[in-house]
Amino acid sequence: VIYGDYDVDGITATSILWHAFRQLGGVVDYYIPHRVDEGYGLNAEALAQICDEGAGLIVSVDCGITAIEQAKVCKERGVDLIITDHHEWHSQANDERGMMNDESKSDIHHSSFIIHPSLPDCHTIVHPRLPGSKYPNPHLCGAGVAYKLAWGVGLAMNGGSDKVSAEFREFLIEATALAALGTIADVVPLVGENRAIAYWGLGGLKQSKLHGIQALIANSNLTGQNLDSYHVGFLLAPRLNACGRMGHAREAVEMLTKADPARAAGIATFLDQQNRQRQQIEKQILDQALAQAAEMGSDKEDCRGIVLAGEGWHAGVIGIVASRIVDRFHRPAIMIATSNGHGQGSARSIPGFHLAQALESCRDYLVSFGGHEMAAGLKIETAKLGDFRDAFCEHASQALTADQLTPTLRLEALAELQFVTQALVADLKRLGPFGHGNPKPLLCCKGLTLAAAPRRVGKTGDHLQLQVTQGGTSMKCIAFKSAHLLDRLKPGALLDLAVEPTINAWNGRISVELEVKDMQFV
């Protein structure tokens, strides 16, 4: 039995091992916990039920590295447990924690050095950052770990050869599409091995033989298109995630494993409906969260961390809202949905602030927690919410500098408009897939003249279309969410722009267009 998780990383990791073990002759089933009812990670009651129903082996994916007590359930029942994960883990018990000084505590979750690790007692742990490990890619996601495990088992089943069988090789090539979905959706650095997984997996999505992937692509109106990390991050992944956020993720796993074409299409339609519902609820919670953040002065300089809580907030949606709060205030943010004296929280961070370490420093106020540097989850008693907020914000005040609270854009080069050509855009695209750790290149174009009055575009008129010139070169620009600058953008104005050059294909005409990320009036 594969014990999965309810986000895209967990869904795709479960699917990879399900296909792999079946192809190698295994009798396989999967168990996906309910996000709201059970929460993240291995659940002792669920493990007991799986064992009692006759499982001979349980393999976790994308979870389990902190499940010290839960692993004992399998041990007591004589059922082997293999844990595959990529998240951080806690220090040892409180008595040992008390022996550490404050300086040593801060190193517990360092990406390369783990002090006094406390790991579950199980058959095997597969993790890219185990103590003493020299594995060159410490940033594999859960699907990446599952993919490498499948590859390793395939080698072992082929008599210990350095190559898998021809049939299993075809499976591994096909499975890169699933691994790419998890890798991009989980926002791990797209460099090194992760870049290879994302690159080849994106190329394989379009031709995938999996009914579920084709149904998902069709439902997103992407059939026949060459897919990149944008399509995964903003169109495919949200649909897969919606199932786990709004209901139960096992249907998404079914779509990618057992479903025939008709069933896969039906599930894909259901996921789309769930995603639309999620978007409505997200907007409602975001409005409430922004109002609460304004009351708390979250945009003031002395605020280094944000903790917001609301009764009845949907626990499956607050993680997305936490990301929106980080985008708005550029501070680590925690959203907590409270109900009947208990709270379930989701946290998101900014570069340079390690969430897992921050929650470790506040563990006395938490029922449980887990995660990694940029994202984490927690459970808390609402009676301790105020003390936790104070402790978290105090940790953030000590860990973050004022400079870290100012969002920055990395500009790769100065560029004159005459050199921003279709050939340049094609060359820049070869640097992808783009994402965390490998952002799209941004160019700085200085001293541009606004040739005409901007034009409001988009369904709600929130965006601006600009025409700029430099020397004898003229080019169109699109500035999203910039309608508030309309009155300042007069013809003849001189501008410095931070831009991402793109290709615009319209009515058979292909031209270079600049997507404006920021502007400065000269």
Side-chain angles (χ1 to χ4, degrees), residues 187-244:
V187 201
V188 292
L190 294 184
V191 296
E193 186 177 42
N194 286 344
R195 181 175 187 269
I197 290 172
Y199 179 85
W200 294 106
L202 284 170
L205 278 170
K206 183 178 177 181
Q207 292 86 23
S208 176
K209 300 174 184 175
L210 290 178
H211 304 313
I213 286 182
Q214 288 305 320
L216 185 66
I217 290 173
N219 195 268
S220 304
N221 297 316
L222 296 174
T223 300
Q225 294 190 36
N226 294 320
L227 304 179
D228 58 26
S229 52
Y230 168 82
H231 298 113
V232 171
F234 292 93
L235 296 173
L236 301 181
R239 286 170 165 80
L240 284 173
N241 260 330
C243 197

Side-chain angles (χ1 to χ4, degrees), residues 86-89 111-112 114 127-131 133 138-140 372:
H86 70 115
H87 293 95
E88 305 287 354
W89 56 86
S111 61
S112 299
I114 308 297
H127 193 292
R129 293 188 304 281
L130 287 176
S133 171
H139 302 299
L140 277 175
H372 45 79

Side-chain angles (χ1 to χ4, degrees), residues 433-468:
F434 300 111
H436 179 54
N438 186 36
K440 289 185 178 180
L442 291 180
L443 304 180
C444 179
C445 297
K446 286 194 165 188
L448 306 183
T449 301
L450 190 61
R455 191 163 65 90
R456 297 182 71 151
V457 295
K459 291 181 179 179
T460 57
D462 291 338
H463 318 310
L464 294 181
Q465 188 178 81
L466 316 177
Q467 188 79 27
V468 295

